[in-house]
Amino acid sequence: MRCFFVSDLHGNLNKYEKLFRTIYDEKPDVVLLGGDLLPRNNPNYFLFNFLESSLIKLKNELKDAYPEILLILGNNDPKTEEKYFIEISNKNLWHYIHNKQIEYHNYKFIGYSYSPPSPFMLKDWEKYDISTNVEEGCISPENGITTTPVDDKEKFSTIKNDLDAINSEDIKKSIFLFHAPPFKTNLDVIYDYNKKMNKHTGSKAIRKFIENKQPYITLHGHIHESSRLSGSWKDKIGNTYCFSAAYDGNELAIINFELDKPENATRVLI
């Protein structure tokens, strides 16, 4: 079973159209979208007038060859749009899997959208990582902006606590669709202009979760420049294969992998 994984398209029409053409031509079984899907301006218009309508057309063309599409949102996607992603999910165009598990051919796909605090103001999909400490230059969740109400319990919750609560009977047959990358890997490298050096900015909670639980495959985005700076879009933590589809070039980056042979995964730039 062949999977496509893309992330961080940010409403880029050219990249989406390339993705849809490639799905039509190559007919993967599963397509995973790892968050930051919407443009900054008019996200609701984009969702209904481009994304939904394009997938309806694709489904009508492909019929039984239409793939299972699994997706989450990312830190640049306003949470006000989540209810519409769920609404469209009920139309069988895709599965919205944040905090959900979908079983497919003896594999479990599990989604999780939250990222650690960043320098950006929108905090709908940001949480404290393993404690209420915030890295230098980042803004804490309660000091940013949210588009939906957040109660005090949620405001001070952590990614670590969320991941500790995940109950999967056979996690070694699970594919996790994260937005954030794990800490200190090829997937979380940015350039610190103040210190004039590369540094790691991923989630320590996600890193620890992978180390301890050893899921089969984890998929990540968020840090667009990581593969350029680190030299690789993939890494391995113990037995877990970790891939990032975030990319800072003009091309569309697709991670192409077979579920039973993740070691042979490739990245295609279109």
Side-chain angles (χ1 to χ4, degrees):
M1 287 178 292
R2 190 152 63 110
C3 298
F4 283 178
F5 168 48
V6 300
S7 187
D8 297 84
L9 301 187
H10 292 276
N12 185 306
L13 296 179
N14 184 47
K15 290 184 178 182
Y16 271 107
E17 287 166 352
K18 288 177 180 178
L19 173 63
F20 299 150
R21 284 198 300 271
T22 308
I23 292 171
Y24 181 84
D25 291 341
E26 300 193 20
K27 298 176 178 59
D29 300 288
V30 180
V31 176
L32 300 116
L33 287 81
D36 281 2
L37 307 180
L38 301 172
R40 186 178 300 274
N41 297 319
N42 299 318
N44 189 260
Y45 181 87
F46 174 87
L47 175 59
F48 284 104
N49 290 277
F50 174 74
L51 191 54
E52 180 188 27
S53 61
S54 296
L55 289 175
I56 289 171
K57 180 175 182 290
L58 186 63
K59 187 171 186 178
N60 288 336
E61 291 171 344
L62 289 177
K63 297 182 170 55
D64 291 344
Y66 185 74
E68 295 290 334
I69 297 179
L70 315 178
L71 57 79
I72 59 172
L73 300 180
N75 65 298
N76 273 310
D77 297 319
K79 194 175 273 191
T80 48
E81 300 304 306
E82 182 184 34
K83 60 181 177 289
Y84 302 118
F85 276 89
I86 294 169
E87 175 186 318
I88 295 171
S89 188
N90 293 332
K91 299 177 184 178
N92 297 318
L93 281 181
W94 60 55
H95 302 282
Y96 175 71
I97 64 167
H98 169 63
N99 272 343
K100 291 181 172 25
Q101 300 184 21
I102 296 289
E103 191 158 344
Y104 183 73
H105 289 262
N106 298 319
Y107 291 93
K108 283 189 175 73
F109 291 85
I110 301 168
Y112 186 76
S113 292
Y114 286 102
S115 302
S118 75
F120 308 115
M121 286 300 295
L122 182 61
K123 299 299 177 184
D124 281 343
W125 296 108
E126 291 190 9
K127 277 192 177 188
Y128 290 110
D129 197 17
I130 56 176
S131 71
T132 55
N133 292 330
V134 174
E135 296 294 325
E136 181 183 358
C138 295
I139 300 168
S140 63
E142 73 270 18
N143 289 326
I145 297 169
T146 58
T147 64
T148 59
V150 181
D151 62 35
D152 287 341
K153 181 179 179 182
E154 183 72 9
K155 188 181 293 185
F156 295 101
S157 64
T158 65
I159 293 172
K160 179 184 182 300
N161 288 342
D162 288 349
L163 297 182
D164 285 347
I166 288 175
N167 179 23
S168 180
E169 292 180 2
D170 189 3
I171 209 162
K172 295 191 186 318
K173 294 280 283 184
S174 295
I175 296 90
F176 277 80
L177 181 60
F178 289 110
H179 184 62
F183 179 68
K184 216 166 188 180
T185 58
N186 292 327
L187 317 184
D188 75 325
V189 181
I190 67 167
Y191 186 73
D192 187 328
Y193 286 94
N194 292 324
K195 297 181 180 178
K196 295 183 170 51
M197 60 184 291
N198 290 347
K199 74 174 184 179
H200 295 283
T201 59
S203 168
K204 295 176 182 177
I206 290 175
R207 169 80 192 223
K208 187 61 68 175
F209 173 80
I210 296 170
E211 288 177 343
N212 291 342
K213 299 295 186 179
Q214 290 286 275
Y216 184 45
I217 299 168
T218 62
L219 305 173
H220 310 271
H222 191 42
I223 309 298
H224 294 210
E225 65 270 36
S226 61
S227 64
R228 173 170 54 82
L229 295 175
S230 71
S232 182
W233 49 270
K234 59 185 175 179
D235 213 325
K236 201 171 182 188
I237 301 175
N239 293 319
T240 301
Y241 294 90
C242 308
F243 306 141
S244 174
Y247 182 65
D248 62 353
N250 293 325
E251 303 95 333
L252 169 70
I254 301 179
I255 309 302
N256 185 338
F257 64 96
E258 299 281 349
L259 275 176
D260 60 344
K261 294 181 180 178
E263 67 274 13
N264 294 334
T266 59
R267 185 178 74 172
V268 180
L269 301 179
I270 302 172

